[in-house]
Amino acid sequence: FAFYFVAYGLLARSSFAVQLGNHAAPLVFGALAGWAMWIPTYPADIVKTLVQVQDSKNKMMGPMQITAKLYRSGGVKAFFDGLEPKLVRAAVKHAATFWVYEIVMNMLRPIP
């Protein structure tokens, strides 16, 4: 989650935040933060999923064996198979998450 919160924090403090305004900025930056979280971690998620869905009737493979097999079968691209739908979902989910977060934080801040 470090990528997630760091990306959002940096974007929220950027000059783009002023240009987008208080309502659009959390939506855009939340979507981008979701992408910043998923893109670097997606290969590990693919390997984790393949470890979990192994058929117990066959010889079980560890994460390193699955990684090697996946790389041999499709190269680096195999680790990002199916990323596009995940990014679409992440954009919507994380945009809404940070939009609600900003609304709640503004309600909790004391009025000057």
Side-chain angles (χ1 to χ4, degrees), residues 54-104:
Q54 292 182 80
D55 185 3
S56 61
K57 296 174 188 170
N58 298 325
K59 184 180 180 218
M60 302 291 280
M61 293 191 298
M64 294 301 288
Q65 293 168 308
I66 288 177
T67 300
K69 182 180 178 183
L70 191 59
Y71 183 77
R72 280 193 306 273
S73 71
V76 173
K77 185 178 178 189
F79 292 95
F80 293 94
D81 188 36
L83 178 63
E84 296 85 358
K86 184 78 77 171
L87 291 180
V88 170
R89 187 196 76 177
V92 173
K93 176 186 175 205
H94 300 295
T97 298
F98 278 107
W99 185 67
V100 170
Y101 167 79
E102 291 294 344
I103 289 172
V104 171

Side-chain angles (χ1 to χ4, degrees), residues 1 13 24 33 35 38 42 46 59 63 68 70 72-74 76 81 83 97 106-107 111-112:
F1 287 103
R13 289 172 187 76
W35 290 356
W38 272 109
Y42 194 71
I46 289 287
K59 184 180 180 218
L70 191 59
R72 280 193 306 273
S73 71
V76 173
D81 188 36
L83 178 63
T97 298
N106 284 334
M107 288 173 30
I111 299 172

